[in-house]
Amino acid sequence: MLRRHFLRAAAGLAAGAALAAPIAAQAQEPFKIGLILPMTGQSSSTGRQIEAAVKLYMAQKGDVVAGRKIEVIVKDDTGSADITKRLAQELVVNDKANVIAGFGLTPLALAAAPIATQAKTPMIVMAAGTAIITEASPFIARTSFTLPQFTAPMAEWAARNGIKKVVTLVSDYAPGLDSAKTFKEVFTAAGGQVLDELRTPLRSPDFSPFLQKARDLKPDALFLFVPSGQGAQLIKQTAEREFDKAGIKIIATGDVTDDDQLNDMGDVVLGMVNSHHYSAAHDSPENKAYVAAFKAANKFRPNFMSVGGYDGMHLIYEALKKTGGKGDGAALVEAMKGMAWTSPRGPISIDPRTRDIIQNVYIRRVARGADGELYNMEFETVPNVKDPVKEAKK
Ligand code: DHB
């Protein structure tokens, strides 16, 4: 009797152990994040900034979340949409990536979106900023920004500050067109006039002929947008044209006065007013800690692209905690909706309706900081701004 009971118990134990084994193995499977970035080429500063921020986040928060080891696979798409698409495909099919992330330019994000949909894999847009991107797949969530989100407050500020006639000059691709369109809509609604809308080529641009045309039109202000990495060249060529001597103000989105390049621009950029969601000079304990840690780990200071990467990792980590370590794509995206936290840039959240970021927009002026470096100093805050394009579609 006793022996038979023991045998039965042992058999029961063995069966239990056999059942438990695959569950334990599954729980220990790594959670893979495919990080697709332009690490080389014209937008390489975006790749460098985001990769550094992702590494910093993991160094601070550890690499195990809800029992899953986090594995980041970095791929360089060189800024080519064909390569982004191929890499996204390889990451979900061969590497079995649980999430794809990064996307340094709008065409690159749009090329990967259908793959996220087909594979039911969450896609975290950490950089690109055209409004429609989040509508390209229900699996996209964005931690960067939208161009209309910070262009509208710039247009409102201009109208409120004695500027009546503006020429806009933007890069000739989707985010530039988003920015120019928003500026015109908001500025004209506030009684202003847009004299001309100039567009410069995205690849290897020479801004000179466009700047000359803008100067000849004699506006009160010239509004500028170029993507991260092109600001220094644009400002250099703008300074050569001496707009100040013609009484023309220069205003811009903060992509132009990028923290990554601002120190290379020199005194010509001092006083320039612009609007954006992140400044390395943002005055909060979270940002002071972020900038100090980032500078300690890298030979450069963080810019607005870096916070897209840092907050993108936060979104992934917290969603994985909420699903108890399950990698299911649809459940992860559900967990991301409505998530809110304090970023180095200020309070942010993911709009549950659009999966796009809601964040403060700051009006800033370029000035020299106490450390002798150039910074965008925030002087006005527009709180909790949603993407106005998607708000208008409601
Ligand atoms: C995009 C890229 C940038 O570097 C930027 O500053 C804004 C927008 C984009 O391609 O979406």
Side-chain angles (χ1 to χ4, degrees):
M1 269 287 279
L2 234 163
R3 188 177 151 73
R4 212 185 301 147
H5 182 81
F6 174 79
L7 275 176
R8 220 187 292 138
L13 232 163
L19 256 177
I23 290 167
Q26 212 174 46
Q28 279 156 21
E29 240 175 66
F31 184 88
K32 293 182 186 171
I33 302 170
L35 189 59
I36 310 174
L37 292 167
M39 299 306 299
T40 54
Q42 196 170 271
S43 300
S44 62
S45 72
T46 297
R48 179 168 47 86
Q49 286 275 349
I50 291 178
E51 188 190 31
V54 166
K55 283 193 174 148
L56 177 62
Y57 190 88
M58 293 181 74
Q60 291 175 335
K61 311 284 168 159
D63 63 356
V64 178
V65 178
R68 302 282 298 267
K69 176 122 169 73
I70 307 293
E71 211 176 281
V72 174
I73 307 167
V74 181
K75 299 278 183 185
D76 176 14
D77 64 13
T78 74
S80 152
D82 290 341
I83 300 178
T84 314
K85 187 167 184 180
R86 177 172 57 73
L87 291 174
Q89 212 138 22
E90 287 173 7
L91 281 164
V92 298
V93 174
N94 303 346
D95 297 303
K96 310 268 182 281
N98 299 90
V99 169
I100 52 174
F103 311 104
L105 292 160
T106 290
L108 315 181
L110 292 177
I115 292 159
T117 307
Q118 283 157 24
K120 298 184 166 40
T121 301
M123 169 170 162
I124 310 306
V125 177
M126 296 172 161
T130 301
I132 48 128
I133 287 175
T134 45
E135 291 167 23
S137 168
F139 286 87
I140 292 179
R142 173 151 53 189
T143 55
S144 48
F145 51 84
T146 90
L147 268 296
Q149 185 176 49
F150 52 64
T151 300
M154 188 70 260
E156 278 157 11
W157 185 89
R160 271 191 280 115
N161 285 273
I163 294 169
K164 300 205 159 45
K165 292 178 194 162
V166 168
V167 172
T168 62
L169 189 161
V170 302
S171 291
D172 190 8
Y173 79 126
L177 306 189
D178 252 10
S179 185
K181 186 168 183 277
T182 302
F183 193 96
K184 189 176 185 176
E185 277 174 13
V186 174
F187 192 59
T188 22
Q193 193 188 350
V194 172
L195 301 179
D196 205 351
E197 299 178 90
L198 307 176
R199 297 173 185 178
T200 61
L202 178 62
R203 302 274 165 205
S204 317
D206 174 14
F207 303 108
S208 309
F210 303 98
L211 291 167
Q212 188 57 49
K213 180 151 194 225
R215 201 179 191 279
D216 293 344
L217 288 163
K218 298 187 170 55
D220 300 322
L222 170 63
F223 168 79
L224 304 173
F225 161 76
V226 289
S228 188
Q230 295 193 7
Q233 199 198 338
L234 174 60
I235 290 300
K236 184 171 172 283
Q237 294 190 2
T238 304
E240 284 163 6
R241 288 258 163 339
E242 300 187 309
F243 281 83
D244 49 341
K245 294 217 170 112
I248 301 168
K249 292 192 177 69
I250 307 293
I251 55 175
T253 69
D255 309 74
V256 176
T257 55
D258 185 345
D259 277 308
D260 197 70
Q261 287 197 327
L262 193 58
N263 278 315
D264 303 333
M265 296 181 197
D267 287 356
V268 293
V269 81
L270 283 171
M272 190 171 142
V273 174
N274 64 87
S275 64
H276 229 204
H277 56 290
Y278 178 71
S279 165
H282 178 66
D283 190 11
S284 73
E286 291 82 8
N287 189 49
K288 286 201 167 77
Y290 177 67
V291 172
F294 193 100
K295 288 212 299 207
N298 302 287
K299 289 193 179 65
F300 49 96
R301 67 184 188 182
N303 76 348
F304 66 98
M305 288 302 186
S306 80
V307 289
Y310 194 76
D311 290 325
M313 287 304 282
H314 184 84
L315 185 62
I316 296 166
Y317 269 45
E318 293 306 310
L320 192 56
K321 284 182 198 168
K322 265 172 99 175
T323 64
K326 289 194 206 71
D328 175 66
L332 284 172
V333 173
E334 271 315 301
M336 289 175 187
K337 291 180 183 174
M339 203 172 273
W341 68 101
T342 304
S343 156
R345 65 185 110 173
I348 65 173
S349 64
I350 301 300
D351 188 332
R353 186 177 73 90
T354 62
R355 292 161 277 103
D356 219 333
I357 188 163
I358 304 173
Q359 59 190 336
N360 292 351
V361 174
Y362 307 93
I363 311 291
R364 310 99 55 88
R365 192 176 278 113
V366 178
R368 208 166 278 287
D371 61 1
E373 293 190 25
L374 294 176
Y375 288 97
N376 293 290
M377 303 296 190
E378 297 164 353
F379 65 89
E380 265 183 46
T381 303
V382 187
N384 305 320
V385 183
K386 294 185 180 185
D387 173 49
V389 172
K390 283 184 284 291
E391 285 307 289
K393 283 183 190 166
K394 257 210 278 207

